[in-house]
Amino acid sequence: MPQKFILVGSGLAGGLLAAYLGRRGYDVDLYERRADPREGNIVGGRSINLALSTRGIHALEHLGIADEVLQHAIPMRGRMIHPAGAGASTIFAPYDVDPNKHINSIGRAALNTTVIEAAQRYPNVRVHFNHRCTDVDLDSATAQLLNTETSIISAVRADAVIGVDGAFSAVRQSMQQRLDRFEYDETYLAHGYKELTIPPAPDGSWRMEKEALHIWPRKSFMMIALPNPDGSFTCTLFWEFEGPRSFATAKTDNDVRRFFDEEFPDTVPLMPTLLNDFRQNPTGSLVTVRCAPWHYHDKVALVGDAAHAVVPFYGQGMNAAFEDCVVLDECLAEFADNRERAFAEYFVRRKENADALADLAIDNFIEMRDKTASRAFRAKKKLDHLLEALLPGIYLPLYTMVTFTRIPYAQAAQRARLQDRIVYGSSAALIFALLVALLRALR
Ligand SMILES: Cc1cc2nc3c(=O)[nH]c(=O)nc-3n(C[C@H](O)[C@H](O)[C@H](O)COP(=O)(O)OP(=O)(O)OC[C@H]3O[C@@H](n4cnc5c(N)ncnc54)[C@H](O)[C@@H]3O)c2cc1C
């Protein structure tokens, strides 16, 4: 008899994991509280598009669905910076010294549909929409499920339950409630986010450079925009919830209009539905979740945001969740007759990397909103690219390691710190030597 898994949540990682487990021959029931995304009810205020990069693509390639996904993607080759001040010219900063390296703007709906369909190709995977998990009995691996169409509650038992149910995971909550010494920490940023739209030009083309991630860095806050295949851009404003200038003070259409006129004047003519979008679209919060352990014996495990939600500023949350699926699949293969060992090993291999990513993502918020506008920052990026070209395979900028390689996040962060120490140390030594030489020459 094949082992039976219940997966809770068919978001980005849930669909992908169901496909991985289906391919291994497990019996999989995937329960999702929402309706089928193919019926058009998917996003619910979440980011409409996302940046997909090497780690995520590798996980899709492993299942043979990367090309299917990438056909819907738009390459973004660098950051297009929109400095403050009316009339200021945009500045393009490539992501890598190699112009072929890019990240990909991909629609959440298209991606979610592709991974669910990949899972459904396996006859041993069944997907049940409109089923909300309300509780999990950890010892018997039994999920309580509420059918949101019929209001019928049922208890479904399996060999293991995997919570792939996102940052506010019900499966994780069951672990929190029942397990002694379960570590849990959630931290919210003072900033929230709101999505806005730049529609296509009348001829269907993009109203700004298409192959770039646009950033309006404004020190304590920022806006970004990613291109969509239909010629539009989805903009996301990251702004303080409270304070003298914040979501809380943007109460009227006039407040919003004045704020945009002052801070993002180049976008105002491109956003005919700005006021409506601002009023209608929800303001989301930005949470970092850290917890441990990510499993309970061989009965329950957590994957993706359920285990480690991170703020979105490195564009890695989904990529990391996909990487979890690859690692869990590898561990289940390696310890095929000992699922508890497989879950434990998965946790050990991923935890320090998820923690490192959480820190990197917060640091990158400061970099994006504040530093990208500065000359010193752009000079450092150029130096990074120069060193990468001069020392191929030896010097790798942090962004490159995180985005364009599969070097574990913790290792990438550590290596970047070492590289910085060497570069700054040798620069300081060089400046000192030049000063000494200059003083000698003047004597
Ligand atoms: C504004 C923003 C921008 C982002 N941009 C990027 C980016 O550019 N690149 C990137 O890699 N990542 C990005 N992310 C992060 C990314 O969205 C998440 O990391 C990713 O969605 C995690 O996938 P997941 O499957 O773990 O969770 P989710 O995608 O959240 O899926 C969880 C699923 O579980 C379902 N569910 C929840 N509770 C229950 C329940 N009780 N019962 C049944 N089903 C349930 C939900 O309906 C959902 O379908 C961004 C996030 C935000 C908020």
Side-chain angles (χ1 to χ4, degrees):
M1 278 275 283
Q3 291 176 46
K4 182 173 159 53
F5 282 85
I6 290 174
L7 266 53
V8 178
S10 80
L12 299 177
L16 191 79
L17 184 62
Y20 269 98
L21 297 181
R23 189 174 64 166
R24 285 230 172 264
Y26 296 120
D27 200 38
V28 180
D29 280 288
L30 174 56
Y31 292 94
E32 165 59 44
R33 68 176 172 190
R34 294 189 193 186
D36 189 333
R38 288 158 291 193
E39 290 163 13
N41 169 30
I42 171 162
V43 177
R46 294 285 302 285
S47 63
I48 289 163
N49 51 21
L50 306 111
L52 172 68
S53 50
T54 298
R55 294 167 203 267
I57 295 171
H58 171 257
L60 296 166
E61 271 168 353
H62 235 52
L63 273 183
I65 55 170
D67 290 343
E68 206 178 313
V69 169
L70 288 171
Q71 72 181 354
H72 302 289
I74 299 180
M76 298 183 289
R77 300 182 190 283
R79 294 165 167 167
M80 186 65 81
I81 295 152
H82 297 243
S89 321
T90 52
I91 303 156
F92 181 72
Y95 278 128
D96 196 81
V97 63
D98 175 354
N100 293 320
K101 288 208 178 122
H102 58 261
I103 57 176
N104 301 277
S105 174
I106 178 87
R108 189 182 283 270
L111 185 51
N112 206 356
T113 299
T114 309
V115 291
I116 290 172
E117 284 176 354
Q120 285 179 322
R121 278 178 212 142
Y122 298 95
N124 43 326
V125 176
R126 294 162 296 277
V127 187
H128 313 267
F129 295 102
N130 302 304
H131 280 75
R132 185 158 71 83
C133 174
T134 52
D135 192 24
V136 175
D137 182 78
L138 307 181
D139 287 308
S140 63
T142 303
Q144 292 279 348
L145 295 154
L146 168 71
N147 182 325
T148 53
E149 287 181 313
T150 62
S151 298
I152 293 172
I153 298 176
S154 51
V156 186
R157 190 176 177 150
D159 294 303
V161 175
I162 304 192
V164 211
D165 48 344
F168 304 98
S169 165
V171 179
R172 189 187 63 226
Q173 266 171 36
S174 298
M175 293 171 77
Q176 267 174 270
Q177 283 159 9
R178 312 262 156 73
L179 296 185
D180 271 350
R181 292 176 287 109
F182 183 79
E183 288 172 25
Y184 182 71
D185 180 59
E186 68 179 20
T187 320
Y188 286 88
L189 286 191
H191 294 68
Y193 71 94
K194 191 181 282 288
E195 293 194 333
L196 305 161
T197 304
I198 295 181
D203 64 357
S205 62
W206 290 263
R207 288 170 186 255
M208 303 186 295
E209 167 56 46
K210 172 188 166 195
E211 295 195 349
L213 187 152
H214 293 259
I215 309 184
W216 291 259
R218 296 295 181 264
K219 296 227 180 269
S220 71
F221 61 92
M222 70 170 178
M223 186 163 76
I224 65 168
L226 273 70
N228 296 311
D230 67 355
S232 67
F233 285 86
T234 303
C235 306
T236 311
L237 170 65
F238 296 97
W239 200 16
E240 287 95 335
F241 275 112
E242 308 286 340
R245 266 175 113 217
S246 63
F247 280 118
T249 60
K251 291 199 175 91
T252 65
D253 284 356
N254 272 346
D255 296 336
V256 174
R257 185 64 198 238
R258 196 174 329 113
F259 173 63
F260 270 76
D261 282 341
E262 284 168 13
E263 297 295 344
F264 313 115
D266 58 333
T267 65
V268 174
L270 310 180
M271 295 175 127
T273 55
L274 168 65
L275 300 178
N276 204 37
D277 289 351
F278 201 95
R279 244 183 283 120
Q280 301 286 322
N281 294 350
T283 308
S285 54
L286 297 162
V287 68
T288 302
V289 170
R290 296 172 203 253
C291 67
W294 293 357
H295 74 105
Y296 174 69
H297 299 303
D298 63 345
K299 299 293 183 202
V300 180
L302 300 173
V303 167
D305 276 16
H308 53 76
V310 298
V311 293
F313 305 108
Y314 231 114
Q316 285 295 314
M318 162 193 60
N319 288 285
F322 281 7
E323 214 172 37
D324 286 351
C325 299
V326 176
V327 175
L328 180 57
D329 179 60
E330 281 167 5
C331 292
L332 285 167
E334 223 170 304
F335 307 102
D337 49 6
N338 186 346
R339 201 175 48 246
E340 179 162 5
R341 177 85 197 275
F343 284 175
E345 193 64 32
Y346 152 74
F347 170 60
V348 166
R349 290 184 195 177
R350 293 302 288 158
K351 172 63 176 161
E352 68 164 347
N353 292 309
D355 285 345
L357 175 60
D359 294 337
L360 288 171
I362 289 172
D363 291 349
N364 216 42
F365 183 32
I366 298 161
E367 174 167 322
M368 286 174 85
R369 71 175 202 221
D370 191 357
K371 298 189 183 156
T372 48
S374 86
R375 272 175 213 267
F377 174 81
R378 291 200 297 275
K380 162 81 169 69
K381 284 280 163 202
K382 283 190 180 144
L383 177 65
D384 268 351
H385 291 174
L386 179 70
L387 290 171
E388 189 185 358
L390 291 175
L391 306 166
I394 298 172
Y395 185 92
L396 281 174
L398 177 59
Y399 188 87
T400 299
M401 286 191 273
V402 169
T403 309
F404 300 124
T405 77
R406 293 192 294 117
I407 296 172
Y409 293 117
Q411 220 174 295
Q414 199 181 18
R415 182 165 162 182
R417 281 193 294 272
L418 180 67
Q419 287 179 170
D420 277 354
R421 275 205 294 276
I422 294 171
V423 170
Y424 290 129
S426 15
S427 309
L430 187 67
I431 291 168
F432 181 73
L434 285 173
L435 278 175
V436 170
L438 190 70
L439 284 173
R440 280 200 182 137
L442 288 174
R443 257 200 231 140

